[in-house]
Amino acid sequence: MPVSSVGDNLASQNAAHASLEDAPLEMPAEVTPAGAAQIASPVSTGAAPATLAAAAPHFSFFGHLVPLLPVIVACALFMENMDSTVIATSLPVIARNLGEDPVALKLALTSYLVSLAIFIPVSGWMADRFGSRTIFQWAIAVFMGGSLLCATSSTLAGFVMARFAQGMGGAMMVPVGRLVVLRSTSKSELVRAMSYLTMPALLGPVIGPPLGGFISTYFHWRWIFFINVPISLLGMYLAARHIPNVRADQRSPLDRVGFVLSALGLALLMLGFATLGRHLISTPAAFACIGIGAAMVSIYVWHARHTKFPLLNLQLMRTVTFRAGVAGGFLFRVGIGAIPFLLPLMMQLGFGLSPFQSGMLTCATAIGALAMKSAAARILKEWGFRSVLRVNAVLTALSLAVISAFTSHTPHLLMMLILLLGGCLRSLQFTSFNTLAYADIENNQMSNATSLSSVVQQLAAGVGVTVGAAALQLAQHGHGHAILQASDFSIAFLCVAVVSMSSLFFLLRLPANAGAELSGYAESNAKESR
């Protein structure tokens, strides 16, 4: 079924954490989101779902009635999205204040992303078991607690652990918040309600970098986290008053063994790779973490093949389009995931810009992604997934390579234009990968597919930061620089560009008409292009 707009109705968990660049194409009506698939399940709140929807509170805004519940959830999601984007711009300042090497702050980014990857898959089960409102409130409380710990941290280890705690709250807050809206909103208002939930992903990456830079330049970086406290308290109060505590009477059992294996395996694996640069723990300890983590992940793969309800269903990777979207998307995101880490460091440490100046420049990437949002569907309809993904993978890699040519004398306007174009290209690729992944997934497997895709996306972003940091350190060592120089970043950007382009490997065997039903790409055009 052709589609004509770009949205994030399908992979609600994915897009919420990954920003507007990751918003997939709007799916056909018969392909429902993971959260929406659970609406049809019996729920327990003391009232029928229809009654809940009819009783949903509204408020008047300039003469228009606005549903209150999606606005409450949207504000919480905006806080999480903002926090994810403001910190990247402030990393050099935080590192200086903590007395650490700026590259070591990669751990603050990776710990948050790994936490998301670990806890997102169990968020739906917890909401079904304990109630949506209960988990949503606890998620906000955990996120607020993590924010306070970040704001008061005085060591790298403390800051990293605080970011992990924040990720636990974020992992529960976003998907459960969306599930609350899906279950408590009437069908006639669902599209309108979901449009409120897309706004945080649209505005967060645009506002976050300059806001983080402004706070770090003119106030103190700790206020980035302190401002989450009053917002969280207000969110918990409004949730207690207006969000129904929906539970599912029927739910699949939680794969507890799978959760322990995947959680510990992924955490140790990422910790080991992220600390290989002799940050936080010794090199032998880092290798030990890698070995133990790899063993536990391997055991999980065996376990997933022999259990009825695996936490992450790896059998989905047998589907050609899903494998291309997830595995190809992983390699692409590894390259792109390094950008939020490398770009602010290059602007501030390499070119001597202030955090605010850096944030004003780097937000051009998000503006470019926003601009592409309305054009992606038309491009895919005209040329199809295979052609768009192949050509755009090369163009995106080239846009990263161009960044490697930036110097302190490059005009800021030219930088913004190149970053704007790069944002457009990356947004198109993210949208294409995300949508293609679900092209051949049956509706009863949509929830499993969304969980697996969500985990892979967060891991890819974390691996990207680790790869970018490793390339930067190797370049610094190779150049013999005691401190980071602009030329070190050039090598790092070239390395991540190559990694990003390697996603072509998973696109070579895509059929010409892959995802044609979703994109509207004419079958006749697909046959001609073979």
Side-chain angles (χ1 to χ4, degrees), residues 325-343:
V326 173
F330 176 85
L331 288 174
F332 181 78
R333 285 182 175 86
V334 167
I336 301 303
I339 306 306
F341 173 73
L342 291 176
L343 201 54

Side-chain angles (χ1 to χ4, degrees), residues 255-419:
D255 179 13
R256 289 178 171 83
V257 174
F259 174 68
V260 172
L261 286 172
S262 63
L264 291 177
L266 293 176
L268 288 173
L269 201 58
M270 287 299 298
L271 175 64
F273 280 118
T275 54
L276 274 179
R278 291 177 295 182
H279 296 127
L280 200 62
I281 63 177
S282 65
T283 299
F287 277 114
C289 287
I290 293 173
I292 297 172
M296 298 189 78
V297 169
S298 299
I299 296 172
Y300 173 78
V301 172
W302 179 88
H303 167 79
R305 293 175 178 173
H306 296 84
T307 189
K308 188 176 181 180
F309 298 104
L311 184 72
L312 300 171
N313 188 356
L314 304 179
Q315 300 299 318
L316 292 167
M317 296 298 287
R318 294 179 176 179
T319 304
V320 174
T321 49
F322 187 79
R323 183 170 63 249
V326 173
F330 176 85
L331 288 174
F332 181 78
R333 285 182 175 86
V334 167
I336 301 303
I339 306 306
F341 173 73
L342 291 176
L343 201 54
L345 289 181
M346 182 177 71
M347 297 286 185
Q348 296 175 51
L349 302 181
F351 301 161
L353 300 182
S354 71
F356 183 53
Q357 290 172 316
S358 169
M360 291 297 292
L361 289 174
T362 57
C363 74
T365 300
I367 296 173
L370 183 60
M372 177 55 71
K373 186 172 171 61
S374 60
R378 292 194 298 273
I379 293 172
L380 287 168
K381 184 176 181 180
E382 181 68 25
W383 286 288
F385 281 100
R386 188 177 74 169
S387 297
V388 169
L389 283 167
R390 288 178 175 180
V391 173
N392 200 47
V394 177
L395 293 177
T396 306
L398 290 176
S399 73
L400 295 179
V402 170
I403 296 176
S404 71
F406 284 179
T407 69
S408 58
H409 302 294
T410 304
H412 289 180
L413 179 59
L414 180 58
M415 286 186 186
M416 290 190 70
L417 290 175
I418 292 172
L419 294 176

Side-chain angles (χ1 to χ4, degrees), residues 93-438:
V93 176
I94 297 173
R96 185 165 59 248
N97 188 257
L98 296 179
E100 295 286 347
D101 180 353
V103 178
L105 267 291
K106 64 186 176 184
L107 294 166
L109 299 180
T110 55
S111 62
Y112 185 87
L113 294 166
V114 170
S115 184
L116 292 180
I118 289 173
F119 291 101
I120 282 176
V122 299
S123 60
W125 181 88
M126 293 186 69
D128 289 341
R129 174 67 176 83
F130 300 104
S132 300
R133 182 181 64 207
T134 301
I135 297 301
F136 188 68
Q137 285 182 290
W138 272 106
I140 296 177
V142 170
F143 188 85
M144 180 180 69
S147 297
L148 281 171
L149 290 174
C150 286
T152 56
S153 296
S154 57
T155 64
L156 176 62
F159 190 65
V160 170
M161 288 188 287
R163 287 287 291 167
F164 188 86
Q166 263 196 318
M168 291 173 58
M172 300 292 173
M173 187 195 312
V174 177
V176 173
R178 288 173 179 265
L179 185 58
V180 164
V181 174
L182 288 167
R183 284 180 167 172
S184 307
T185 304
S186 63
K187 289 185 178 181
S188 61
E189 287 195 338
L190 188 57
V191 173
R192 183 185 179 196
M194 291 302 291
S195 69
Y196 289 108
L197 301 192
T198 65
M199 294 309 294
L202 295 174
L203 296 178
V206 177
I207 300 175
L211 178 62
F214 180 82
I215 293 174
S216 298
T217 302
Y218 299 108
F219 295 94
H220 197 284
W221 65 265
R222 298 186 188 275
W223 281 104
I224 292 173
F225 302 101
F226 278 131
I227 59 177
N228 290 333
V229 175
I231 300 173
S232 298
L233 292 174
L234 178 61
M236 293 170 64
Y237 168 75
L238 292 175
R241 288 203 58 179
H242 300 292
I243 291 181
N245 203 28
V246 181
R247 293 182 178 88
D249 291 333
Q250 298 177 2
R251 58 184 178 273
S252 299
L254 176 65
D255 179 13
R256 289 178 171 83
V257 174
F259 174 68
V260 172
L261 286 172
S262 63
L264 291 177
L266 293 176
L268 288 173
L269 201 58
M270 287 299 298
L271 175 64
F273 280 118
T275 54
L276 274 179
R278 291 177 295 182
H279 296 127
L280 200 62
I281 63 177
S282 65
T283 299
F287 277 114
C289 287
I290 293 173
I292 297 172
M296 298 189 78
V297 169
S298 299
I299 296 172
Y300 173 78
V301 172
W302 179 88
H303 167 79
R305 293 175 178 173
H306 296 84
T307 189
K308 188 176 181 180
F309 298 104
L311 184 72
L312 300 171
N313 188 356
L314 304 179
Q315 300 299 318
L316 292 167
M317 296 298 287
R318 294 179 176 179
T319 304
V320 174
T321 49
F322 187 79
R323 183 170 63 249
V326 173
F330 176 85
L331 288 174
F332 181 78
R333 285 182 175 86
V334 167
I336 301 303
I339 306 306
F341 173 73
L342 291 176
L343 201 54
L345 289 181
M346 182 177 71
M347 297 286 185
Q348 296 175 51
L349 302 181
F351 301 161
L353 300 182
S354 71
F356 183 53
Q357 290 172 316
S358 169
M360 291 297 292
L361 289 174
T362 57
C363 74
T365 300
I367 296 173
L370 183 60
M372 177 55 71
K373 186 172 171 61
S374 60
R378 292 194 298 273
I379 293 172
L380 287 168
K381 184 176 181 180
E382 181 68 25
W383 286 288
F385 281 100
R386 188 177 74 169
S387 297
V388 169
L389 283 167
R390 288 178 175 180
V391 173
N392 200 47
V394 177
L395 293 177
T396 306
L398 290 176
S399 73
L400 295 179
V402 170
I403 296 176
S404 71
F406 284 179
T407 69
S408 58
H409 302 294
T410 304
H412 289 180
L413 179 59
L414 180 58
M415 286 186 186
M416 290 190 70
L417 290 175
I418 292 172
L419 294 176
L420 185 78
L421 176 60
C424 290
L425 296 173
R426 295 201 291 273
S427 178
L428 176 60
Q429 198 76 348
F430 281 138
T431 298
S432 302
F433 272 128
N434 283 353
T435 310
L436 177 67
Y438 301 95

